Amino acid sequence: MISIENIKKCSQILFTVVLLLTIAFISFLVYRGIKSNDLEYTQTHELINVTKRPKIVLLLWTWPLRYSFPLNRCPPEFDASDCLYTIDRDMYSSAHAVIIHHRNISTSKTLLPQIPRPPNQFWIWSNMESPSNSLNLVFLDNLINLTMSYRVDSDIPTPYGWLVSKNQDSKKYIIPKKSKLVAWMVSNWKKNSRRVKYYEDLKNYLNIDVFGKYHKPLSRTDYMKNISTYKFYLSFENSIHEDYITEKFWNNAFVSGAVPIVLGPPRKNYERFAPPESFIHVDDFNTTKELASYILDLDKNYQKYQQYFVWKSKYEVSHRGSFMLQYCKVCRALKEAPGYRTIPSIAEWFK
Ligand SMILES: *[C@@H]1O[C@H](CO)[C@@H](O)[C@H](O)[C@H]1NC(C)=O
Ligand SMILES: *[C@@H]1O[C@H](CO)[C@@H](O)[C@H](O)[C@H]1NC(C)=O
Ligand SMILES: *[C@@H]1O[C@H](CO)[C@@H](O)[C@H](O)[C@H]1NC(C)=O
Ligand SMILES: *[C@@H]1O[C@H](CO)[C@@H](O)[C@H](O)[C@H]1NC(C)=O
Ligand SMILES: *[C@@H]1O[C@H](CO)[C@@H](O)[C@H](O)[C@H]1NC(C)=O
C-alpha cells in the first residue's frame, strides 16, 4: 500500500542518509587534507610535524606514581625537539630508550619489560624516593644504562629543588609577617623514627604546631600561606641519605618563607645546595635543649632572625621539579650519553 504519507517518510529517510554520507565524506577530505600536510597524529594523539619527525623515541614504561602529564611539550631550553616521548608500549621495539620509574616496578620483577630487548636500547632508571623507601633494587642488576634521581651523582640529576641567581630587576624580598613560632607538617608518622623522637623531645621546650594526617588538618590550598606565618619550619626528612633533601626544605620552608630547621644528611651536604646561613641544622647543637634555647633567642632578636633571609636578595628557589620537566632532561642526556654504558648494581650505588 503506497500512500502519500509513506512516500514522504521514505524521502525523509533518504535525505537524512544522503546528508550523513556527505558529512562523512567532507570529514574524510578534511582529515586527508591534514594528513597530506606535514602534520600527523601520533598514537598518543599528539600532533607532530612529520617533516621534522623526532629521531629518538623515548618510551615511558609507566607514568611515574599517579602522575600523568602532556608529552612532547618540553620548553625549548631542554633541546628536546628531536625526541618523541610516548607512553604507548607498542612502540617498545622501536624505542631508543625506556624510562622506568622505580616505584612502579618495584613490587615484582615481572613489571619490567618482558619482551626481548632491542640491542642498544637504553633503560633509564628514574626514582625520587630514598634508598630506605626503594624496595627490591636488586631487580635492576645488569639492566640499567642511565640513572635519573635526586642524587647529584646520577647521570641525570633531578634534585627536589635548587637555587638560581635572581634577576637584577626582580622585587626585593619581604619576609612574611610572623605571628607563630614553629610549624611541622607530617603525615608519615612513625613513632620510632628519628624525626618523631627528635620532635617529642623538642616539644618539651618549644611550642610546635603539627599539621597533617594525625594532627591539625591543613587545607592543600592555603598551607603555604599558613606556614609563612611561622618563623621556623621543621624540614625533617623521613630517612637520612646523601642529597635526600626534599620539598620539605625547598617548598615548605624556603618558598613559604619560614626558616628551615633541618634533620637530614650532614650540614656539608645541605651546603652543596644552599648557603650555610640559610638554615639551622639539628647537628649544630649538642642537645635538643640547646637547639630550643637558640630558637627562643632568635624569637626575641628579630635583627638576628632576619640574617637567615639575606640570601634571598641574591637567589631564588627553582623547584621546577615536576616529573614532566624531569623527563624533559632525558632527551639531551641520551644524545650526550656514551655509546655503551651499563650499571652492574643500582643497589650498590644507591644504598
Ligand atoms: C613543519 O616543519 C617544517 C620544517 O621545520 C616547517 O617548514 C613547516 O612549516 C612545519 N609545518 C607546520 C604545519 O608546522
Ligand atoms: C605507579 O605506582 C603508584 C604508586 O605505587 C601507583 O599509585 C600507580 O597507579 C602506578 N602507576 C602505574 C601506571 O602503574
Ligand atoms: C592555619 O591553620 C590553623 C589550624 O588549622 C588555623 O587555626 C589558622 O587559622 C590557620 N592560619 C592561617 C593564616 O590560615
Ligand atoms: C657542644 O659540646 C662541645 C664539647 O662538649 C662544646 O665545645 C661546644 O661548645 C658545645 N656546643 C654548643 C653550641 O654549646
Ligand atoms: C644497556 O645495558 C644492557 C644490559 O647490560 C646492555 O645489554 C646494553 O648494550 C646497554 N646499552 C647501551 C646503549 O649501553
Side-chain angles (χ1 to χ4, degrees), residues 180 211 216-219 222 225-227 229-230:
K180 285 167 268 178
F211 299 95
K216 287 183 204 160
L218 192 54
S219 87
D222 53 27
K225 222 172 130 214
N226 200 310
I227 292 175
T229 62
Y230 289 84

Side-chain angles (χ1 to χ4, degrees), residues 38-39 49 51-52:
D38 40 7
L39 297 176
N49 184 331
T51 53
K52 48 177 180 188

Side-chain angles (χ1 to χ4, degrees), residues 117 121-123 140-147 155 338-346:
R117 178 171 172 175
Q121 186 180 66
F122 280 87
W123 283 16
L140 304 157
D141 284 0
N142 298 308
L143 288 178
I144 300 297
N145 307 99
L146 297 174
T147 56
D155 297 300
Y340 179 81
R341 170 118 208 282
T342 183
I343 299 163
S345 169
I346 294 277

Side-chain angles (χ1 to χ4, degrees), residues 27 57 61 109 114 124 142 165 216 255 266 274 296-297 327 333:
S27 317
V57 176
W61 186 243
K109 211 175 167 180
Q114 300 294 304
I124 298 164
N142 298 308
S165 294
K216 287 183 204 160
V255 175
L296 291 170
D297 177 48
Y327 283 23

